[in-house]
Amino acid sequence: MINPEFLLSFLGASFLIAVAPGPSNAFLMAQTFANGRKAGMQSAFGFALGGVVHTFFAVVGLTAILKASTVAYTTVQYLGAAYLCYLGIMTLKDTFTQPESECDEKPHVSTSKKQNVMFQAMMTEVLNPKVALFFIAFIPQFVDPSLSSTTFQLAFFGLLYPLFAFPIDCTYIYFGDKIASYFRDHPQTQIWIDRITGLVFIALAINLLI
């Protein structure tokens, strides 16, 4: 059983967090601009899956280890930053190695980074210790110990957040794709969109270390 007042408070706070611009939204928009609505949707699904993984970690107590251990936190932090930096470098590399004539012939075709976008988004979320601490610091505030099992409530709120945030991510994708549609119709602009996307990934890696 869930406290109705706590549930309403959770939904209100979750809405503000999901709407506010952040690293996840930046990744989402970068993929949408570079690769279209499909890649954006795959990113949104990936982030939702990442939320499920973090919920599992929080429930079994693994996230608490990150909070208590500086070494564990730093290790995950550097792994996440390295992964994002790798995505950024590979994205930039594709724009310089792709023949210009190929871009002219296929203005709607994106580079190989389009593959496994869902996995990339999920790993970006899972390897972000700040997200892990969000789940262990934010969600327990809405758990009512006088009601049902604390474990059940943690799992409920943890799984509810990605479900609640998903349609908000879809709104970002919809409008982002509308804006990007013009640029994708111009081959040379697509190259710069991809380069900006690569720089966004690298910026997210730096942000993760701050």
Side-chain angles (χ1 to χ4, degrees), residues 9 20 57 60 69 73 81 85 106 115 131 136 143 146 150 176 181:
S9 298
F57 286 167
V60 301
S69 172
Y73 179 92
C85 191
K106 301 179 181 180
Q115 300 174 355
V131 176
I136 200 173
V143 172
S146 66
T150 299
S181 60

Side-chain angles (χ1 to χ4, degrees), residues 61-122:
L62 293 180
T63 307
I65 297 176
L66 285 178
K67 186 176 182 180
S69 172
T70 303
V71 175
Y73 179 92
T74 303
T75 300
V76 175
Q77 187 178 33
Y78 277 97
L79 284 174
Y83 183 71
L84 281 169
C85 191
Y86 166 77
L87 292 180
I89 292 173
M90 293 306 295
T91 301
L92 289 172
K93 179 183 176 182
D94 286 342
T95 66
F96 288 104
T97 57
Q98 184 179 16
E100 186 174 335
S101 58
E102 180 180 342
C103 296
D104 293 336
E105 296 173 0
K106 301 179 181 180
H108 294 286
V109 176
S110 301
T111 55
S112 59
K113 63 181 178 301
K114 189 174 181 179
Q115 300 174 355
N116 301 319
V117 173
M118 184 184 300
F119 178 77
Q120 292 175 5
M122 184 185 72

Side-chain angles (χ1 to χ4, degrees), residues 14 17-19 25 44 160-172:
S14 296
I17 293 171
V19 171
N25 290 334
L160 180 60
Y161 178 79
L163 289 175
F164 184 74
F166 182 77
I168 296 175
D169 289 342
C170 289
T171 303
Y172 270 96

Side-chain angles (χ1 to χ4, degrees), residues 171-198:
T171 303
Y172 270 96
I173 294 167
Y174 175 80
F175 287 105
D177 187 60
K178 289 292 185 182
I179 297 172
S181 60
Y182 166 80
F183 294 101
R184 275 192 239 102
D185 289 336
H186 297 76
Q188 293 303 317
T189 306
Q190 177 64 43
I191 295 177
W192 287 103
I193 289 177
D194 288 346
R195 289 175 181 173
I196 292 173
T197 300

